[in-house]
Amino acid sequence: MYTQALNSNPDKGSASLEDAELSARFQARVDAEERIEPNDWMPAAYRRTLTRQISQHAHSEIVGMLPEGNWITRAPSLRRKAALLAKVQDECGHGLYLYAAAETLGTSREELIDQLLSGKAKYSSIFNYPVPTWADVGAIGWLVDGAAIMNQIPLCRCSYGPYARAMIRVCKEESFHQRQGYEIMLTLSRGNDEQKAMAQDALNRWWWPCLMMFGPPDTESQHSDQSTTWKIKRFSNDELRQKFVDATVPQAHFLGLTIPDASLHYDEASGHWVYGEIDWDEFRQVIAGNGPCNRDRLAARRKAHDEGAWVREAALAFVAKSANASVAA
């Protein structure tokens, strides 16, 4: 009703006043912890912000299948193979949940995927790093999925209903992935010298990129303040990063592994682990498409998309045939 009145009002001043009133009512609902649903009125900027965030999240789940999927045939045992296969399948499901949530905001899945394949849309920088050993698979589960959980648990309380509900299942499954990765690292760290060295090398490679996963420092973040006001985000990038460091450093100590940060130390006054300076130039380079595996990841996705065209065409033909049969009946 409000949107119709706004669209039909010839008086721009009145329209602006009504828009401000709608925005105030919207923010009051958000402040009251009410969930916003797809058919509810929402500011255009809120819709754009959510579409960008949810689609990037979905893209990250889909691209994130690639580095681990390459290890399914090389897993060291049948048990490891089955667990990794299940994990990759979960990640695919997460992408589908999230694309569906993004579609409720008015952008089709096909358009979102086209944005990914064209390089217009971003995905998590972490998936642009190589995975040279089995220990890297463990480090991804332990560190990358651990960082993802730290990011995603607050999203279960996101103000947008479809996103929040999707994240409940995603977080439950990510918790399994994190435990799976930690168990791999535990096995290696309790193994022979070569296995211990492999685990340490993987930690050395993934530690700093994982800290970058939380996004740029709060002083440089472009979207955090407004996203916090709208209760899309509940914590800032730096707050989440600190939570991750505080939780992960003791885990590394239990494994007998060394965090690759000479500046790392525990501050008694604050009760936090203080970490060294992050190389934000590296982060910006990876985001810009110049990481070690950016081109390989997108090339793999484009190849899979092209080779799967016949499946999409067959599905559409089946739907069309079924619809025609229903009309004829």
Side-chain angles (χ1 to χ4, degrees):
M1 178 177 68
Y2 295 117
T3 303
Q4 291 173 351
L6 181 61
N7 290 340
S8 61
N9 194 335
D11 185 341
K12 291 183 180 179
S14 298
S16 297
L17 182 62
E18 186 168 2
D19 193 40
E21 184 179 324
L22 287 168
S23 295
R25 293 179 183 178
F26 172 84
Q27 188 60 51
R29 290 188 62 195
V30 170
D31 292 342
E33 299 289 345
E34 291 184 30
R35 285 276 168 81
I36 306 302
E37 299 297 340
N39 291 331
D40 294 340
W41 186 92
M42 63 188 75
Y46 178 84
R47 187 183 301 273
R48 287 195 302 270
T49 297
L50 275 169
T51 301
R52 174 189 57 79
Q53 179 170 328
I54 298 173
S55 63
Q56 288 184 4
H57 192 166
H59 299 331
S60 298
E61 298 285 357
I62 297 301
V63 175
M65 297 162 59
L66 296 172
E68 292 176 302
N70 289 333
W71 273 94
I72 290 174
T73 58
R74 295 179 286 165
S77 69
L78 182 59
R79 182 174 76 89
R80 298 292 191 193
K81 189 187 300 290
L84 185 57
L85 186 62
K87 179 184 179 183
V88 172
Q89 178 177 278
D90 285 347
E91 306 294 3
C92 181
H94 298 171
L96 295 178
Y97 307 152
L98 293 165
Y99 282 130
E103 284 184 306
T104 66
L105 292 161
T107 304
S108 71
R109 187 174 310 190
E110 290 76 16
E111 185 177 350
L112 296 174
I113 292 173
D114 285 345
Q115 290 172 1
L116 169 64
L117 298 178
S118 68
K120 180 180 178 181
K122 303 295 184 184
Y123 55 87
S124 178
S125 60
I126 197 68
F127 298 117
N128 290 312
Y129 288 87
V131 184
T133 73
W134 174 249
D136 290 79
V137 176
I140 289 173
W142 170 36
L143 299 174
V144 176
D145 292 319
I149 292 168
M150 204 65 69
N151 258 322
Q152 293 170 6
I153 286 177
L155 292 174
C156 296
R157 296 187 291 125
C158 170
S159 60
Y160 188 60
Y163 193 20
R165 289 189 289 272
M167 291 314 303
I168 292 173
R169 178 166 179 173
V170 170
C171 287
K172 288 179 180 178
E173 293 177 348
E174 292 290 3
S175 295
F176 163 75
H177 302 165
Q178 196 269 348
R179 290 195 297 272
Q180 175 190 345
Y182 191 74
E183 196 268 336
I184 291 173
M185 296 296 281
L186 180 63
T187 300
L188 291 172
S189 67
R190 299 294 186 268
N192 59 36
D193 290 344
E194 185 178 357
Q195 290 170 322
K196 293 176 186 176
M198 185 188 298
Q200 182 63 59
D201 287 344
L203 172 57
N204 294 347
R205 281 190 290 274
W206 291 95
W207 177 253
W208 292 108
C210 279
L211 295 193
M212 297 175 198
M213 272 183 70
F214 295 93
D218 294 344
T219 53
E220 298 180 17
S221 181
Q222 299 177 4
H223 307 286
S224 286
D225 289 345
Q226 186 60 72
S227 291
T228 301
T229 300
W230 283 330
K231 297 188 187 295
I232 296 172
K233 291 184 68 171
R234 298 282 177 161
F235 300 96
S236 73
N237 296 349
D238 287 338
E239 286 175 325
L240 290 170
R241 194 170 5 254
Q242 187 64 63
K243 284 175 177 286
F244 172 75
V245 172
D246 289 343
T248 307
V249 171
Q251 295 172 358
H253 291 167
F254 181 79
L255 293 174
L257 301 178
T258 302
I259 300 291
D261 179 359
S263 300
L264 184 72
H265 64 279
Y266 186 74
D267 180 61
E268 294 284 353
S270 66
H272 295 299
W273 285 92
V274 179
Y275 52 91
E277 186 66 27
I278 297 172
D279 185 355
W280 292 114
D281 287 338
E282 177 183 330
F283 174 76
R284 286 186 281 269
Q285 283 296 313
V286 175
I287 290 294
N290 300 317
C293 298
N294 289 65
R295 293 172 181 81
D296 292 342
R297 300 289 185 244
L298 276 182
R301 287 310 314 154
R302 290 178 185 130
K303 181 174 183 289
H305 187 76
D306 292 343
E307 291 180 350
W310 69 272
V311 178
R312 296 190 297 276
E313 292 166 1
L316 290 173
F318 177 78
V319 170
K321 182 178 179 181
S322 299
N324 290 336
S326 298
V327 170

